[in-house]
Amino acid sequence: MMELVVCTTCRLPGFDPTADPDALRCGARLSDALAQAGIAHRRQECLSACARGCAVVLRGPGRWTYVQGGLDPDRDLDDLLTMIRAYGASTDGIVPWRDRPQVIRKNTIARIPPVEV
Amino acid sequence: MMELVVCTTCRLPGFDPTADPDALRCGARLSDALAQAGIAHRRQECLSACARGCAVVLRGPGRWTYVQGGLDPDRDLDDLLTMIRAYGASTDGIVPWRDRPQVIRKNTIARIPPVEV
């Protein structure tokens, strides 16, 4: 069992909120794209990783938690889907390095060990 | 109930490992200082927050998880102790902004919502 948490208030670095005040936040667009792809996830306002948006969390009981950033909804959706599947297929949340897309390798913000029972 | 996880492989920015190859990692020194202060915690090799050492995690059932970095064992121990106590005293892991020491405010790497039951 795994859970994906998506920050809906993230902005990509360089995003200009004054250009179109009605534009969706980048994180909300990422969430919408994941929903369109059929990926269940929890929407969360602000994961306090604002400097490294868009950010998501992968977690689950008995698994390592990964905080991933640097995700561009227009560019990185396929790579994120690859990572979500690989994370889900793992037993402990650790995806072998060779199976991690480049954007995941380069933008791991933190990893947290599973709670010991 | 709360748990503190301390990265024992963190190095402070600018730390020169060649200066004294036998020197303890900064994170290990932070862990030792916490132990000396009587603070129970879990030692963990690498939280993948290497650019923002020293890093720790505060977490617990029903609580927000906080990943905190930028902790200098020589400078920030008292502030970390203050934060640990405030986190422990909270019900949901959210410490009011006014009660967070400056080093905590400035170095929150990520926050993760509690698991929904």
Side-chain angles (χ1 to χ4, degrees), chain B residues 8 34 36 39:
Chain B
T8 56
L34 286 163
Q36 285 255 331
I39 303 295

Side-chain angles (χ1 to χ4, degrees), chain A residues 3 5 42 44-50 57 59 64-67 108-116, chain B residues 3 5 42 44-50 57 59 64-67 108-116:
Chain A
E3 183 183 32
V5 183
R42 171 167 167 186
Q44 176 63 52
E45 288 191 3
C46 198
L47 296 170
S48 288
C50 314
V57 172
R59 66 175 173 184
W64 283 78
T65 295
Y66 280 84
V67 185
T108 297
I109 295 173
R111 59 171 204 159
I112 305 171
V115 174
E116 281 174 358
Chain B
E3 184 183 31
V5 183
R42 171 168 169 188
Q44 177 62 51
E45 290 191 1
C46 198
L47 296 171
S48 289
C50 314
V57 173
R59 67 175 173 184
W64 283 77
T65 296
Y66 280 83
V67 185
T108 297
I109 296 173
R111 62 171 202 158
I112 304 172
V115 174
E116 281 174 359

Side-chain angles (χ1 to χ4, degrees), chain A:
Chain A
M1 200 181 77
M2 62 162 285
E3 183 183 32
L4 173 69
V5 183
V6 178
C7 178
T8 55
T9 47
C10 265
R11 288 167 172 156
L12 291 170
F15 179 82
D16 177 9
T18 62
D20 176 3
D22 296 328
L24 278 181
R25 293 286 182 112
C26 308
R29 286 205 297 117
L30 179 61
S31 169
D32 289 350
L34 287 162
Q36 285 255 330
I39 303 296
H41 60 282
R42 171 167 167 186
R43 292 166 63 95
Q44 176 63 52
E45 288 191 3
C46 198
L47 296 170
S48 288
C50 314
R52 295 189 67 182
C54 295
V56 306
V57 172
L58 293 156
R59 66 175 173 184
R63 290 168 179 266
W64 283 78
T65 295
Y66 280 84
V67 185
Q68 294 290 153
L71 294 160
D72 182 325
D74 296 317
R75 186 193 60 195
D76 302 319
L77 184 65
D78 285 350
D79 284 339
L80 178 55
L81 293 174
T82 298
M83 181 62 181
I84 292 167
R85 285 189 208 103
Y87 185 87
S90 74
T91 52
D92 56 3
I94 297 183
V95 174
W97 188 254
R98 65 178 177 281
D99 295 338
R100 298 185 201 180
Q102 190 82 340
V103 68
I104 297 295
R105 290 184 188 172
K106 291 199 167 177
N107 293 286
T108 297
I109 295 173
R111 59 171 204 159
I112 305 171
V115 174
E116 281 174 358
V117 194

